[in-house]
Amino acid sequence: MVALGGGHGLYASLSALRAVTRALTAVVTVADDGGSSGRLRRELGVLPPGDLRMALAALCGDDEWGITWSEVVQHRFRSEGDLHGHAVGNLLIVALWELLGDPVAGLDWVGRLLGAQGRVLPMASVPLDIVAEVELDGVISTVRGQVACALTPGRVQAISLVPEDPPARPEAVEAVLEADWVVFGPGSWFTSVLPHLKVPELARALHRTKARRLVTLNLAPQAGETDDFSPQQHLEVLRQHAPELTIDVILADTGVVDDPGALDKAAAALGGRAVLADVAAADGSPRHDPRRLASVLDEIFLQKR
């Protein structure tokens, strides 16, 4: 299995997928320019480590070792000084990058320390900036940077990357080509999910792979990115960014689909089918329940649903 994304959405996906398979690889966006990641990126010129850290934390086991290390790497310092807001895991990852000179080797070492049940890879070899075309009151403008895209008051129409032709990590390309399943989402659509399709080598691998492809749709709109988007509009945007990409299964929570027929039609336009299931947390919050999601994904992978 290969899971694509970043941030909390990828965390939810990995938390479920690690219950289904141990042959799991996360391919993570590297465009974050805010918070601790942004500060380390600007000061040291490194890949932003935050989404990579979260993916590693999601792959920690449920035993005392895994739970403890997951909490450690996610811990943020609170102070009046320069360390305020930095996550311990970000500093650990960057330290290993400096010592080893190889981002993938550094992440593998952190994974070994954490007992991660899978591997975490950056999608590109260099830090990226997201550039979004935004429509506001009929006027199209551009904004640059993941934070700016996420906070824009307008409606995001499309995204591109700077640099325009970034080098993909060879390990990520290889993982996609060797996968049985590739899972997109959930997550911030324009800043965590779609960027993978804008890295040319990775995009080619996603088109060429013999793996089946699954999209897990979000439970709620992303403020500033997908305000008022229906589930099918997410798929239409995906199709606009990758017209020739086929998707085999689109998984959506039953409670967020008002028009199943429209979703079926959008899924068919991508060459696949829609599966509706109860995968949201029981408390009504807009987050996926890892056990529910794992159960449904397992049934899909085994062709029982």
Side-chain angles (χ1 to χ4, degrees):
M1 308 288 174
V2 171
L4 308 176
H8 294 284
L10 181 60
Y11 186 98
S13 182
L14 294 174
S15 298
L17 286 168
R18 69 179 176 83
V20 177
T21 179
R22 295 186 70 88
L24 177 58
T25 300
V27 177
V28 185
T29 53
V30 286
D32 192 4
D33 60 351
S36 172
S37 287
R39 290 159 62 192
L40 290 168
R41 173 180 173 172
R42 288 187 292 274
E43 183 173 343
L44 301 174
V46 296
L47 296 172
D51 286 351
L52 298 160
R53 179 203 79 243
M54 285 193 68
L56 284 163
L59 294 176
C60 286
D62 295 322
D63 57 354
E64 183 181 12
W65 183 273
I67 292 171
T68 300
W69 275 109
S70 177
E71 292 176 350
V72 168
V73 297
Q74 295 281 64
H75 176 75
R76 290 185 184 274
F77 294 105
R78 294 287 179 263
S79 73
E80 299 299 323
D82 292 339
L83 274 177
H84 178 74
H86 274 306
V88 172
N90 289 356
L91 302 178
L92 177 62
I93 289 169
V94 172
L96 279 162
W97 286 347
E98 289 196 346
L99 287 170
L100 300 175
D102 182 347
V104 170
L107 292 168
D108 286 343
W109 272 98
V110 178
R112 289 170 63 184
L113 173 64
L114 272 55
Q117 300 173 21
R119 195 181 193 196
V120 173
L121 300 170
M123 72 174 185
S125 299
V126 297
L128 304 175
D129 280 335
I130 295 174
V131 177
E133 294 181 10
V134 179
E135 184 272 329
L136 180 63
D137 297 329
V139 177
I140 302 294
S141 61
T142 60
V143 296
R144 178 167 174 167
Q146 181 170 314
V147 172
C149 293
L151 298 178
T152 178
R155 184 166 184 167
V156 178
Q157 303 290 310
I159 58 112
S160 58
L161 297 179
V162 176
E164 187 175 334
D165 189 8
R169 283 301 311 194
E171 300 89 345
V173 172
E174 181 181 4
V176 167
L177 292 175
E178 293 181 353
D180 295 310
W181 282 86
V182 173
V183 178
F184 296 83
S188 301
W189 213 241
F190 287 98
T191 54
S192 291
V193 178
L194 295 180
H196 293 80
L197 296 166
K198 293 299 182 179
V199 179
E201 292 172 275
L202 185 58
R204 283 193 290 270
L206 289 166
H207 283 77
R208 288 173 47 211
T209 182
K210 295 181 180 179
R212 302 188 72 192
R213 305 171 189 87
L214 180 145
V215 169
T216 304
L217 290 174
N218 294 336
L219 297 171
Q222 184 80 15
E225 284 193 34
T226 55
D227 290 312
D228 302 321
F229 267 39
S230 65
Q232 52 270 23
Q233 281 178 293
H234 285 78
L235 300 183
E236 290 164 4
V237 169
L238 175 60
R239 190 180 179 197
Q240 290 167 11
H241 282 76
E244 298 180 5
L245 185 71
T246 58
I247 303 294
D248 297 279
V249 179
I250 289 86
L251 174 60
D253 183 73
T254 308
V256 302
V257 178
D258 295 328
D259 190 344
L263 183 61
D264 286 337
K265 185 176 180 180
L270 287 167
R273 62 188 179 90
V275 172
L276 302 184
D278 294 325
V279 292
D283 61 7
S285 61
R287 59 186 180 87
H288 288 83
D289 180 279
R291 293 184 179 179
R292 288 182 174 181
L293 183 57
S295 177
V296 174
L297 288 172
D298 192 40
E299 290 181 354
I300 292 172
F301 298 151
L302 295 175
Q303 299 184 342
K304 294 181 179 180
R305 182 188 284 260

